[in-house]
Amino acid sequence: MNMTLPQAYRIRQNFPSTRVEDIGEAVRATLTQLNLEKVIKPGDSVAVPVGSRGIANIALIIRSTVDYLKSLGAEPFIVPAMGSHGGGTAEGQAHVIASYGVTEEAMGVGIRSSMETVIVDQTPHGIPVHFDKNAYAADHVLVCGRVKPHTRFVGDIESGLHKMMLIGLGKHEGAKIYHRAIEDHSFEEIIKAVAASVLKKCDVIGGLAIVENSYDETGMIEAVAPENFYEREKELLEIARQWLPRLPFPKIDLLIVDRIGKNISGSGMDACVIGRKFNDHAATERDVVSCKRIMVRGLTEETHGNACGIGLAEFTNERTVAGVDWKSTRINTITGSHPTAGMVPLVYPNDREAIEAALQTIGLVEPETSGIVQIYDTLELSEVVVSETYLEEINSRDDLEIISGPFDFPFDAEGNLASVFKKPQHSI
């Protein structure tokens, strides 16, 4: 006999948002402010790195960037820049960016994918500074990256232009040594030391910083001069923190996540969003949300079996585990010095059994009165499904509205839960 679960409501979160309406024009206008025509000579090669994150409008942003560089007489090319992702191979990394629409045909320029690096310097700590071989051979490098809070590290600089210079363009070898160094030195200390070497030795002519709004849309695109990287990225990180999408309630008994993946977050599901940044399995006083238990239902297609982050959940189903590429997952978690991120949660035949097991571990709260929140992923949080336990709070808040309900949590005949989004491209 099935456990009695609370009824559910589909709700919408209304986030304040800023959105870039004309991506191409925004890229052109902001790059113009760098006065690159004074630096780039006709025929100069410019490496443009593209990472593995699922950045909104990334193909359009990169195409607009290379088109602008061409207008200056440059000869740009694209470099996949993502540490150990894509299975740690040149072919795998080219395949990752191709899945985002970044192909030679679509971009109108060549893609040079290699795992080879050049050691361009050594930090005061004795750490070798690795840099992508093809990017280093270019006359110039224009760094592109999304600025947002890192899923593990804390500081004035977290994930953005600096991380792209270190981890992305450092490739697998650079990512390994920097993550190892962070075990002995502060994240900020390593970032400053390696970035100083890269900016000095690798002909970086600027950065294109992207900040996304709470709806996983492009909220800001800004060109940054190399000498301003640190101070401006620090300011952009504060904006990104304010715009980070959030779960609707600070205390959740069971969070159900439809899908995780490297295109969603470095940790598969954003640890800042789920309250697991500082501890894989419990919220701390520094987290803004507390989830007693987390259940993962699937992997994204774009993650290509890399299940890094599954270890942040306590429960999952058999089909998710069956879709894991363990080689890719092992490489990524070891490179990031986060082996627990790849550990397997308790595995159940279907969603219903996993959920019922999870609800037996939430303390004195009875399953029928438990606080359950189901999300599609940690980027798309505008519409979520929640248990009726939250009804009074929903009705008291202006930023939440009920779309439908009450209804039973929709399980199919196999005991699997319907996804928050039912569109074919979102199927699990």
Side-chain angles (χ1 to χ4, degrees):
M1 183 176 176
N2 289 329
M3 177 185 288
T4 300
L5 301 179
Q7 288 208 296
Y9 288 83
R10 175 181 287 268
I11 67 170
R12 179 181 291 115
Q13 297 199 80
N14 297 309
F15 301 112
S17 65
T18 299
R19 183 174 66 182
V20 177
E21 299 295 341
D22 189 330
I23 301 292
E25 173 56 25
V27 170
R28 187 202 65 78
T30 192
L31 286 175
T32 299
Q33 297 174 5
L34 291 180
N35 298 314
L36 296 179
E37 68 278 2
K38 296 180 180 179
V39 180
I40 297 174
K41 299 188 296 292
D44 279 1
S45 58
V46 184
V48 180
V50 178
S52 58
R53 300 292 183 259
I55 300 173
N57 301 306
I58 188 60
L60 179 54
I61 290 170
I62 297 301
R63 176 63 196 241
S64 301
T65 299
V66 298
D67 283 350
Y68 179 75
L69 292 170
K70 285 180 180 179
S71 75
L72 301 180
E75 296 181 1
F77 64 92
I78 291 167
V79 174
M82 56 191 80
S84 65
H85 306 169
T89 68
E91 297 77 14
Q93 296 203 344
H95 186 57
V96 168
I97 65 171
S99 70
Y100 300 145
V102 180
T103 63
E104 291 188 345
E105 182 180 21
M107 299 297 104
V109 296
I111 294 175
R112 303 177 191 176
S113 185
S114 172
M115 298 308 294
E116 290 187 66
T117 62
V118 176
I119 296 176
V120 302
D121 201 1
Q122 183 172 289
T123 72
H125 319 83
I127 300 167
V129 176
H130 289 265
F131 202 73
D132 179 272
K133 180 180 179 180
N134 290 316
Y136 186 70
D139 294 309
H140 312 286
V141 178
L142 180 64
V143 181
C144 299
R146 178 177 60 193
V147 178
K148 68 177 297 186
H150 196 279
T151 55
R152 288 187 70 204
F153 304 120
V154 182
D156 289 339
I157 299 293
E158 295 189 14
S159 188
L161 300 178
H162 282 75
K163 186 165 180 277
M164 181 61 81
M165 288 192 293
L166 274 69
I167 308 299
L169 287 165
K171 309 298 286 195
H172 192 189
E173 290 304 314
K176 280 195 299 186
I177 191 67
Y178 304 146
H179 281 106
R180 285 173 57 195
I182 290 165
E183 297 294 324
D184 295 323
H185 304 279
S186 74
F187 183 55
E188 187 167 342
E189 188 180 352
I190 299 302
I191 272 188
K192 282 185 172 180
V194 177
S197 292
V198 170
L199 291 171
K200 180 181 178 182
K201 303 277 188 176
C202 300
D203 296 300
V204 175
I205 55 172
L208 191 67
I210 303 158
V211 182
E212 293 182 346
N213 65 24
S214 302
Y215 294 98
D216 187 29
E217 300 169 330
T218 308
M220 179 185 297
I221 303 174
E222 183 174 314
V224 185
E227 62 272 19
N228 297 332
F229 268 24
Y230 191 86
E231 288 305 318
R232 187 52 184 156
E233 187 172 335
K234 184 166 65 171
E235 294 167 349
L236 291 173
L237 178 59
E238 285 306 309
I239 296 173
R241 282 198 180 103
Q242 294 169 19
W243 289 357
L244 193 71
R246 287 181 167 80
L247 295 173
F249 312 110
K251 292 190 179 299
I252 296 169
D253 293 317
L254 174 61
L255 176 67
I256 302 169
V257 184
D258 283 346
R259 60 180 208 158
I260 67 171
K262 296 299 293 186
N263 59 309
I264 303 298
S265 171
S267 56
M269 46 184 167
D270 195 325
C272 300
V273 171
I274 63 174
R276 300 270 170 106
K277 178 167 183 169
F278 307 97
N279 184 315
D280 282 355
H281 291 287
T284 71
E285 68 279 357
R286 291 186 286 177
D287 292 296
V288 297
V289 64
S290 173
C291 300
K292 286 183 181 176
R293 296 289 181 259
I294 297 177
M295 183 258 177
V296 167
R297 297 186 57 247
L299 306 177
T300 66
E301 287 185 20
E302 297 88 342
T303 202
H304 304 291
N306 186 333
C308 179
I310 196 169
L312 276 65
E314 290 79 35
F315 298 87
T316 190
N317 53 45
E318 290 180 353
R319 70 180 182 279
T320 299
V321 175
V324 176
D325 179 335
W326 290 111
K327 180 180 179 181
S328 174
T329 303
R330 285 194 296 267
I331 289 172
N332 192 195
T333 56
I334 294 301
T335 300
S337 193
H338 192 191
T340 55
M343 291 184 176
V344 185
L346 289 176
V347 183
Y348 287 82
N350 57 43
D351 294 344
R352 177 116 204 177
E353 290 187 44
I355 290 167
E356 290 184 355
L359 292 177
Q360 294 176 53
T361 69
I362 59 172
L364 296 175
V365 179
E366 295 299 327
E368 60 266 28
T369 60
S370 59
I372 302 173
V373 174
Q374 181 189 1
I375 65 174
Y376 185 52
D377 58 43
T378 55
L379 282 178
E380 296 192 29
L381 293 170
S382 58
E383 287 190 20
V384 300
V385 174
V386 306
S387 62
E388 62 185 346
T389 312
Y390 296 109
L391 186 57
E392 184 177 347
E393 183 173 351
I394 293 168
N395 289 330
S396 70
R397 286 170 51 180
D398 294 335
D399 62 320
L400 301 178
E401 60 177 301
I402 295 173
I403 299 173
S404 62
F407 52 83
D408 293 331
F409 276 96
F411 293 95
D412 63 18
E414 285 73 44
N416 292 317
L417 191 60
S419 173
V420 170
F421 286 93
K422 302 180 181 65
K423 300 174 185 177
Q425 65 266 36
H426 290 153
S427 62
I428 293 178

